[in-house]
Every structure is written in structure tokens, then in C-alpha cells.
Amino acid sequence: MLRAVSVLCGESQSFLLYTTARRDAYKLFRNTYASASTSSQTVLTSEASQASHSPSVHSPPPAQSSPPPTPPSQSPRRSWTVAAALALTASVGGIYFFRKLSEEEKKIISSEDAPKKNVGPVRTPIPASADQLPRHVQFLLVGAGTASFAAMRAIRSQKPDAQVLMVGSEYQLPYMRPPLTKELWREPDLDKVTDLDSLTFKQWNGRVRSLAYEPSAFYTPVEQLEERGAGCGVARGWAVRRLDVARRRATLEGAGGTHTLTYDYCLVATGVVARRSAALAGARGAGRARTLRTADDVTQLAARLAGGDVQRVAVLGGGLLATELSAALAARLKDTGKTVLELYRESSPLASILPSYLAEEAARRLQEAGVTLLPEADVVDSIVVDDKVLMRLASGAEVEADYVVECVGTEFDPALADASELEVHPELGGVVVNPELQARPRVWAAGSAACHWAPREGRRRGGLHDHAVTSGRRAGDNMLADMLGTAPAPYTHPHMFWTDLGPDLGYEAIGTIDSKLKTVGVFSEDAVTELRAHAAAAGEGDAGGPGEGAAGAAVRLEGGAAGGRRYERGVVFYLEGRRVVGVLLWNLFNRMHVARQVLAQAEFEDLFEVAKLFALHEDE
């Protein structure tokens, strides 16, 4: 019989079945977590204590006397005295004017309309001029990311003589994005990279991979694409501004000019843009905050962190990318004296997707990795004083950092869709498509740019790597099916993602992963330990005697108090009624095929029995 710990979690309570009850577990966890959360690395002060640092508080101007009367010419001594008085008055006035000017400059840095500093080198698009672009292509793929690359692969694998043009605003070849917040940060020379196409990273298994999907030699030079009639070219540093769907025409713009071409079939896979925090406008204006969405962003951030003016970097956000990046930066900056602070509105990182006890476990892992956590921190404003970013919280406190990375989500840019009269979903964003991912005649959409129909969930818009691959592939298949006159296939692939928080914790998930759903977690008993045991093993002492409980009893613990335990390996089922709609594998790998089968069947009498399929006792 499977020896396991089962946790049924709702929004405000959880039930735990275990062998021996320990009523003091949550008390021990609460004390441990509270002490870790108030690290001396976090600068928190009240409004009153920060008044002297605020540039909006001015010292009153020095009092000035009325100008003296005009001195009589017959008294040299009196003239000298008056001249001295005038000089003193001018000096005091000058000091006051200089202080006012300095204060005004500080105000400018914190204003909404602060000018952004020009960052990054100026690059030349490829091809360099509009007259080198083709006049017509068979397949136009708008966007040069993962979804477009997957569509291209699908098209050319079935039709090797297809003519494909990918158009992307970035200046490098199509590449994978997941390593941007994980493995890429383990590369020692990341801050010195100048050729983005040469970026490589080492996987956890030690294998070195190129960030780019294919080298330059794989692609056909864009200026030769029309002459050759077959192949795939990538127009880099160019953007499609408008589609004329009726005439099958596209307008491209770039530093090399404006160009119009015609196409037979078109895919919109423009992806998303990083959301900006309005509260960080002041920090951005001073060049002290940035988002992280592209490989160029990564290398520029790495170079900035390598400088001596950044000792503390703050990551704003508590989602997947923010937690991945925080863990990766902490590992990179270890033993350098530099620190990483992650601040977020929620009570725990990943609180929107994980049940509370696993969100608390993720918080502990991040702290062990060297990340200082600041939960329930709502940043409402920022200013820069003496090259320090002061972030004001809704509570009135202030947090100080040298640099801030914004990881507060992404959003769909509707500019192309609006200009092309493509329907955009008003709430979810993205181009509205049918089950076959088609938006208009001979126009499809894929990846995070597509708002598609899922059989069970209804309308949804995916934003992660696996969805980009599978939806891009399906769109490519269906575009080719339209050309060949065969039946298209619907897109029914459930969304899947994976993440790592350092070398000792990773998890994969598929389906609907939402912490608001009821969950059933099943963990191998040998993979669940009390926090007390870990504290004692680390030489931190005993926090008190355990509470006694009957073996096998059901104990009710309020507020997700199951977080008093450490979870190493298990499976979590997300439920809507009796149906399993999502599966999360916590430190379990190579079992996604089992999770897909569970989602396909959906309803089960005993999830304990289902958990046996995942071989919880085996590490691999």
C-alpha cells in the first residue's frame, strides 16, 4: 500500500492525513519564516523616518534682509561695508537657488514623464534596406519567436520547397526563451557577450546547447529568398505594421525603410510585451529599472550587475519568471557581497498557482538560495536619490535597491491586429481564432498572440513555451492543409509548463493550474519532513515538544498550516468538482505522459490509487 501524505486544500483551510500528528508544526514554521522574512538586507522604514531622504521635503529658504539704501560717495568705509553685505546676500541667495535647482532635478527623476536613458547599442536591420526584401512569399510568419519557428518546421517538413519569410523586431536569430531566467545566468561570461547569436547555456545534465534554434547557415539570406524560390529567411529588426487581409498584402517597417509585399498564407505570432509598472516610472527614467523579456535584456542586465554601482538588485513580482530569475541571480551573485531582494503583493511567491503549503515551501527554498523575500509589498511610487531607488509601498514604508527588474507579467500589443482589422478578445487579449487557430481567410494566429478555444476551459490565451511550440506546429500544419486542400485539425493540446528554483527544486504542470481550485496533494511519506527536523539538523535547536495525536487521525489545520512541513517529492491534482483539470509534479520528472492520461480520463474514485501511477518513491 502506498504510504503517502494527502493534503486537500481550499482557499482558507486544508486537511492533512498523516501518521503522527504534530500540533506545534505550524507554530514552528511561523516563527522560522517570520525570522527569515525580516532579513537585515531589507530596508524598511516609516514615512517619518524617511522624511530626510525625500526630495519633496525642502528646507525653508534663509531669511534675507531688505537691500540697504544707496551709500553716500563720501564714505569709503561705509561703501566697503555695503559691498560686503551685497556679496553675502548674493552668496546666500546663490546657495538657496542651487539647492532649489538640485531639488527640482530630483523631482524630475521621479516624475511620470522622465526621459528614458538610451540603453543598448544601435543595430542595423537584416536586410539593411527595404529593396532587399522579397515582393512576394508563400508563407509570411509575423514574429520570429518559438511559435513561428515551430510553424516553419511543420511547413517545411512536409513541403521542403516551401518559401517562408519570418519577420521579427529583434536583431537575432529565433531562439528559446525559457533559459533567459534560468540556465543562461550560470554562464560566467554572460556580461561580456556582444554576439547574441553565439549565446550558449549548460543544461542540468551538463549538455551545452545554443540558445538559437538553428545557426545562421540554416536560413536562406532574405535578399536571395525571392530568387531561390524556396527556403526560410529571417528579416531581423523589421516589423509588420499592417495586413491587408482582402488583398493579402503586408506593410513592413524598419530602420531600412518601408516595404509592401504580398503573401499566400500568413501567421500572426507576435508574442507579447513585458508589462511595465507605473510605480517604477521614476526609476526607469533614471536608468535604474528594466524589464526582462529578450536575450538582449539579459546581457544588458548581466553587464549592469557586474558593475560596482549595483550591490542590491530587486526583482518586482511573485510569478514564475520573477521567482526563477530571483533564484538564478542569487546563485550568480553568491560570494560577491551583492544581494537579491524579491518583493511581491501576495503572501508567498507563486501563490496564484501553488496551494499554500507548496507556495510556502517555495519561499523557504528561495530564502535558502540567498534571496531576501518581502511579501505583501505593493509598490506605489519610486524615486532615485544618490543613485539609489527608493520604492514607496502602500503601507508608507520604503524599500531601497540599486537596481530593479520588473517581472510583473506580460500583455498583448493589439497595434497590428487593430490596424489589420483582426478581432482582439476584450478581456484576455490576443487575436480571436477558431479551434483550428484561423482568424481570417488565409490568416492564422499562434502562441501567446492567439486567443483560442479549448474544449473544457473555453476561451483562453497561453503564454508559455510549450504552448508556443504546439500551437505554432498546429498552425503550420493547418496552413499547409489549406494549401493542399485537406481538412485542418483542431488545437486541443493542454497547456504545460516547467520551472526550476535552483538545482534542488523543479516542477512540471499541465492543464489548469490555479490555486483557487481545490487540490489533492499526495506525497511519499519519506519525502515529507517536519521543519523541526531540518532546524535540528542545521544546529538551530529545538523549538518545543511535539503535540500528540492519534495515528491516522484527520487533523484540521487553518490557513494552510500544512506549510509546517517540508515537501520533497509528490503530485498535486487540481479539481473542478470531481474532475481532475490540472496535474502538478513536484520534483518528479519524466512522468508527464502519465499526467496527460490522467487529464484525459479526468474522473476517478480514489486519487491515492491514481498517485501510484506516478511512482512517488522513485527519484527518476
Side-chain angles (χ1 to χ4, degrees):
M1 178 180 178
L2 177 67
R3 301 168 63 202
V5 177
S6 172
V7 186
L8 286 76
C9 295
E11 292 185 41
S12 61
Q13 64 182 24
S14 60
F15 298 86
L16 179 64
L17 299 177
Y18 60 109
T19 305
T20 305
R22 291 185 178 271
R23 296 186 179 90
D24 64 332
Y26 182 53
K27 179 180 178 182
L28 175 61
F29 163 73
R30 184 176 56 196
N31 294 336
T32 304
Y33 182 67
S35 63
S37 297
T38 55
S39 168
S40 61
Q41 296 177 348
T42 303
V43 180
L44 282 175
T45 55
S46 66
E47 286 187 77
S49 65
Q50 288 293 333
S52 61
H53 297 288
S54 175
S56 61
V57 178
H58 305 285
S59 300
Q64 299 185 27
S65 58
S66 300
T70 304
S73 58
Q74 68 274 16
S75 177
R77 181 177 181 85
R78 181 179 179 87
S79 300
W80 181 88
T81 303
V82 172
L86 286 172
L88 177 62
T89 302
S91 299
V92 173
I95 292 172
Y96 170 65
F97 176 76
F98 177 77
R99 291 183 62 185
K100 285 290 290 181
L101 181 61
S102 299
E103 296 292 344
E104 290 301 321
E105 287 177 349
K106 290 180 181 179
K107 285 183 179 180
I108 290 175
I109 291 177
S110 65
S111 65
E112 286 291 336
D113 58 352
K116 294 183 180 179
K117 290 190 176 182
N118 185 25
V119 294
V122 177
R123 296 188 173 95
T124 303
I126 301 175
S129 62
D131 57 8
Q132 294 176 299
L133 290 164
R135 292 167 296 178
H136 176 83
V137 291
Q138 282 184 322
F139 296 91
L140 173 65
L141 310 184
V142 184
T146 297
S148 283
F149 184 82
M152 180 273 296
R153 281 285 202 192
I155 293 168
R156 301 207 69 222
S157 64
Q158 301 175 65
K159 184 177 173 55
D161 61 343
Q163 183 194 51
V164 181
L165 176 65
M166 302 170 67
V167 181
S169 58
E170 294 185 54
Y171 290 84
Q172 67 185 107
L173 297 169
Y175 63 90
M176 57 189 81
R177 293 192 187 274
L180 300 186
T181 52
K182 296 191 283 287
E183 298 95 336
L184 204 56
W185 288 97
R186 296 201 298 270
E187 297 305 306
D189 296 326
L190 182 62
D191 57 303
K192 303 178 182 67
V193 171
T194 56
D195 180 9
L196 297 179
D197 291 333
S198 68
L199 280 170
T200 61
F201 65 94
K202 184 180 291 186
Q203 298 176 302
W204 294 113
N205 59 10
R207 178 189 173 193
V208 177
R209 292 191 60 181
S210 170
L211 189 69
Y213 286 115
E214 294 289 353
S216 179
F218 172 85
Y219 301 95
T220 302
V222 174
E223 58 271 19
Q224 300 177 18
L225 190 61
E226 190 167 18
E227 177 185 349
R228 292 188 182 183
C232 174
V234 184
R236 298 185 263 171
W238 292 87
V240 175
R241 297 303 184 192
R242 181 177 180 272
L243 298 175
D244 184 337
V245 177
R247 298 181 179 180
R248 298 203 295 274
R249 299 172 63 180
T251 301
L252 283 65
E253 284 186 1
T258 301
H259 179 73
T260 299
L261 58 78
T262 57
Y263 61 84
D264 294 331
Y265 300 91
C266 179
L267 173 69
V268 176
T270 49
V272 290
V273 296
R275 183 178 293 125
R276 309 305 296 259
S277 170
L280 290 178
R284 284 196 300 273
R288 290 278 169 176
R290 71 173 311 114
T291 57
L292 195 144
R293 179 67 188 163
T294 68
D296 195 25
D297 292 335
V298 170
T299 57
Q300 290 192 40
L301 176 60
R304 191 62 188 265
L305 296 183
D309 64 331
V310 177
Q311 295 298 313
R312 167 180 292 167
V313 57
V315 179
L316 179 62
L320 283 172
L321 299 185
T323 52
E324 288 177 354
L325 181 62
S326 296
L329 291 182
R332 184 177 183 84
L333 300 178
K334 185 179 180 181
D335 300 327
T336 66
K338 301 184 179 185
T339 58
V340 179
L341 166 69
E342 183 181 1
L343 60 163
Y344 40 86
R345 294 177 177 176
E346 301 80 10
S347 59
S348 298
L350 304 170
S352 64
I353 60 175
L354 296 180
S356 60
Y357 59 97
L358 287 186
E360 291 163 355
E361 175 68 15
R364 285 193 291 272
R365 300 295 185 104
L366 285 168
Q367 289 173 318
E368 291 169 2
V371 180
T372 300
L373 300 181
L374 186 57
E376 299 177 351
D378 185 7
V379 179
V380 296
D381 195 12
S382 67
I383 57 175
V384 176
V385 180
D386 297 330
D387 292 330
K388 300 287 185 183
V389 180
L390 296 180
M391 292 174 282
R392 186 166 61 85
L393 307 184
S395 63
E398 285 185 343
V399 181
E400 181 181 285
D402 298 305
Y403 202 79
V404 185
V405 185
E406 303 174 68
C407 294
V408 292
T410 59
E411 55 192 11
F412 175 73
D413 183 354
L416 172 62
D418 290 344
S420 308
E421 299 182 351
L422 301 177
E423 182 182 359
V424 175
H425 196 281
E427 287 85 31
L428 301 176
V431 176
V432 176
V433 295
N434 65 13
E436 290 76 30
L437 301 179
Q438 190 169 11
R440 296 279 297 278
R442 299 204 181 191
V443 177
W444 286 256
S448 51
C451 184
H452 68 98
W453 176 264
R456 292 177 178 174
E457 298 88 352
R459 282 280 165 200
R460 65 182 309 185
R461 185 170 66 86
L464 298 175
H465 179 80
D466 180 72
H467 168 66
V469 172
T470 54
S471 65
R473 184 186 302 137
R474 175 62 73 207
D477 288 339
N478 287 344
M479 293 166 76
L480 196 59
D482 190 272
M483 170 180 277
L484 301 177
T486 59
Y491 178 66
T492 59
H493 185 82
H495 293 190
M496 173 264 181
F497 69 88
W498 75 94
T499 188
D500 299 312
L501 295 182
D504 299 322
L505 174 61
Y507 59 91
E508 303 173 344
I510 187 170
T512 302
I513 307 298
D514 189 336
S515 61
K516 293 189 290 294
L517 296 174
K518 185 175 75 171
T519 61
V520 174
V522 183
F523 292 79
S524 175
E525 189 178 44
D526 64 353
V528 180
T529 55
E530 299 286 346
L531 284 181
R532 171 205 302 281
H534 283 270
E540 296 175 6
D542 197 319
E548 298 297 325
V555 178
R556 178 171 178 164
L557 304 171
E558 298 292 338
R565 292 167 176 77
R566 188 179 182 93
Y567 298 86
E568 298 289 349
R569 194 171 62 255
V571 58
V572 179
F573 303 102
Y574 290 73
L575 305 174
E576 285 185 351
R578 291 177 52 86
R579 288 194 313 113
V580 177
V581 296
V583 179
L584 183 142
L585 305 176
W586 187 260
N587 262 352
L588 289 174
F589 306 101
N590 302 319
R591 294 164 173 82
M592 188 52 63
H593 62 287
V594 180
R596 294 185 191 279
Q597 295 174 14
V598 170
L599 284 184
Q601 183 169 335
E603 294 192 13
F604 303 90
E605 291 295 329
D606 188 351
L607 289 177
F608 278 5
E609 293 298 314
V610 177
K612 292 180 180 179
L613 301 173
F614 292 91
L616 302 183
H617 293 285
E618 302 175 10
D619 290 338
E620 291 292 339

